[in-house]
Amino acid sequence: VDPPPEEEPPADTVSIYRDGWGVPHIFAETDEKAMFALGYAQAEDRLPDIFENIRVAVGRHAEMVGPDVIERDVALRMVRNAEMSETHWNEAVSDEVRALAEHFIMGIEAYMEEYPDRIPEHALDLEPWHTLAVGRAMILRWPIGTMQSKLGRREEPENPEMASNQWAVAPERTADGGAILLTDPHLTWENLAVFHEARIRGDNLALNAHFVVGSMLVGLGHNDYVGWSTTTGGPSTSDVYELKLNPDNPMEYELDGEWRTLEERTVEIGVAGQDEPLVHTIYESYWGPLLEEPDTENNVAYAGATPYMDATELLEQAYAMGVATNADELYEAMAMNQFMEQNIMFADRDGNIGYVRVGRTPIRPEGYDWRRPVPGHTTDTEWEGVHPIEDLVQIMNPEQGYMQNCNISPENMMVDSPLLPEDYPEYIYNVSWDTDNPRSRRAVEVLHANDNMTREEALALTTDVYCLLTEPWQDALREAVDAVGENHMEDPAFAEAVEMLLEWDGEFTRVSRGTPLWKHWRLKCEAEGGVDLEAIANEETLEDAEQTALLDRLAESVTEFQELHGAIDLEWGDTHIIERDGQSYPACGAQFGSGLDGANRTNTLLDVDYREDPEAPGRYVGYRGSFAISLMFFHEDGVESYTVVTWGQSSDPDSPHFIDQGRELFSNQRLKQTAFTREALQGRIESEKVLTLP
């Protein structure tokens, strides 16, 4: 296929160029035409996913998949996501966003008109406001989770399932004199978290990004000037109020000495496989909706409150970020405060690197423990507004010349971090589970030691699978063998295992030999006790009895591996795979062990979490972790980037791009260089699709 033409195409057409990985590249005279083509390309790649995400967003997912998702449908109905999105669309959406969304939807519809046989059974009538509802559904996962966590953890916080990597390096610490930025989200590989990669150029927008499917909302990426990344963590944005119910009338609750009546509304949740919809009652209070049925036995109820309920300018903020030309303009866009609680890191062509722990954070009165339900019988606990972005944890161009936040406390973002908890209100700093973790410690170790990072070193850190526990466990094993291992070493299989584990380089590559056995041994020591795991992590010598237990657990692991697999020298990719609809490839990267930041945790930077296949004991299938990686290099004349997804561009199992990036790139710890200009795309075009606008 010839490269994109430089001359003006017909006014009513726009082309989608796809590279050898199937990624769409769109060059258009206007943003509207670019969005039309993006909508078509998303439909071409992921039409069933578009409609599934819309169903999630409007609280109608159970109609498609059944009762397992009823709770999420109810939650999104509870916060009125569909109603708030549609109301904003009809009354207040900006002209720019309206035009972009309408053309995006037109592009999806154009694809469906061309290929009516590919329209899934779960399709809905499309509306432009769906693009906002889908984006808000992604955002609302965090505040809804915060409210549910505060309701359920009246004692201790729960560890979240969402994690990610991000780091930035300033020009003075890079070999080519430009800033470097990484974004590597780790989410469950389903629904809203599975982004769509595309590169678009219009008259104002130029985006090289991973988009939320079903929306033109940019999840992560960069334009010609600035890029941004996110990881889970941030201020406490939502609360739970404990209501006192009237013992004589449980539909009444006390507020400032008076009884108020709970308002009721019912929603019908259609459920696949069931003849009748589920009728659910939602109770509304002064503070917000009740998060569960009123407790009439104890005369209490719990209401959720979040300032995201009426935060509807998400797409306006995304547009402002998309057209930002430097870090200051990006910061101004983020000040609209529409994003969920996140660590946002950013960099620009001028050499700036920055960080803000964002979130739409209520200004709370003092004197209450906002980590738990607070009194709802008095307006003394009422919020006093929302904090402006200037109040949040943040830093620009740290003197260390680098920073990272792999879901950790700002105090551990760099050596001698100036971002300390005593300088902020507790609910703004908000560190509970996210103090530190192995990914963070590894990132700081490498970044702090390298004051002249090359492109190759940045790529290597992005795909790093080194386990920090390697040397401590090898030392413990070596000492135990020397001290109490004479009898164990008489077993040839045991001796082979010891030699193999001591020779291991600590890397969880697909071909790392002996790593499945090491994992089995590590988890057996953790599960059965008798070994001080913290002492090993701290490189302390174990007592004789613990050394014996350490070797006993290894001997048991060797026996079990021989019985299960017939060998002990398996490679990581022999037993750990990534699979998509029956197609699979050997995995790399590891996450296992208890806790997020304890001595028991193995968690590599390139991260994959696994579940054991119930039909194949000893076989583990990845289900969450790194997915839409983007490594960005900023120069005076532009941005160069490298990306990879864990699967492929298309959701069609018959497509050559269904799992090609995973098999050829991710499995081998490689990224692909992106083409963000016409010139860069020349010689890399696999196909061209010319679209005619209606």
Side-chain angles (χ1 to χ4, degrees), residues 475-493:
D475 290 343
L477 176 59
R478 188 179 295 108
E479 291 174 0
V481 167
D482 290 343
V484 297
E486 182 177 353
N487 292 335
H488 282 96
M489 292 297 286
E490 292 177 358
D491 178 356

Side-chain angles (χ1 to χ4, degrees), residues 351-369:
N352 297 298
I353 61 173
Y355 163 84
V356 186
R357 195 167 167 88
V358 304
R360 197 170 178 83
T361 311
I363 301 173
R364 298 166 168 104
E366 297 181 357
Y368 300 94
D369 183 358

Side-chain angles (χ1 to χ4, degrees), residues 508-571:
F508 277 94
T509 69
R510 57 176 287 184
V511 296
S512 298
R513 192 170 67 95
T515 42
L517 177 65
W518 190 82
K519 172 187 174 182
H520 191 89
W521 174 46
R522 276 262 296 101
L523 293 179
K524 180 175 282 290
C525 290
E526 178 181 320
E528 299 186 12
V531 180
D532 189 340
L533 304 182
E534 187 172 348
I536 294 177
N538 293 333
E539 302 184 71
E540 300 169 1
T541 299
L542 299 176
E543 300 291 336
D544 288 353
E546 291 181 319
Q547 290 180 330
T548 298
L550 186 76
L551 300 184
D552 288 345
R553 299 295 90 79
L554 179 56
E556 294 161 6
S557 297
V558 168
T559 299
E560 291 168 2
F561 246 64
Q562 288 175 322
E563 293 174 351
L564 184 61
H565 299 290
I568 63 173
D569 60 345
L570 301 179
E571 296 177 352

Side-chain angles (χ1 to χ4, degrees), residues 303-438:
T306 175
Y308 287 95
M309 198 93 83
D310 58 358
T312 53
E313 295 185 313
L314 173 63
L315 296 183
E316 282 86 349
Q317 176 174 322
Y319 179 80
M321 292 172 67
V323 298
T325 62
N326 54 48
D328 289 340
E329 291 182 5
L330 186 78
Y331 182 89
E332 291 175 9
M334 291 192 300
M336 294 176 66
N337 234 341
Q338 301 291 306
F339 269 22
M340 64 284 205
E341 51 265 45
Q342 290 282 283
N343 301 294
I344 295 189
M345 210 165 277
F346 50 97
D348 69 10
R349 279 167 46 178
D350 297 330
N352 297 298
I353 61 173
Y355 163 84
V356 186
R357 195 167 167 88
V358 304
R360 197 170 178 83
T361 311
I363 301 173
R364 298 166 168 104
E366 297 181 357
Y368 300 94
D369 183 358
W370 293 96
R371 298 170 298 174
R372 296 172 174 82
V374 296
H377 67 276
T378 170
T379 52
D380 289 347
T381 53
E382 190 162 15
W383 298 335
E384 300 167 0
V386 173
H387 283 279
I389 194 172
E390 292 81 10
D391 290 351
L392 305 180
V393 183
Q394 58 196 278
I395 193 168
M396 280 291 293
N397 299 318
E399 65 179 20
Q400 290 84 347
Y402 71 89
M403 54 185 163
Q404 61 79 36
N405 195 303
C406 300
N407 314 110
I408 51 88
S409 168
E411 191 171 8
N412 294 315
M413 285 174 53
M414 60 203 96
V415 173
D416 297 326
S417 171
L419 302 176
L420 303 177
E422 56 264 30
D423 296 331
Y424 299 89
E426 188 277 334
Y427 65 82
I428 286 182
Y429 201 81
N430 191 39
V431 169
S432 53
W433 55 269
D434 52 345
T435 53
D436 206 359
N437 61 48

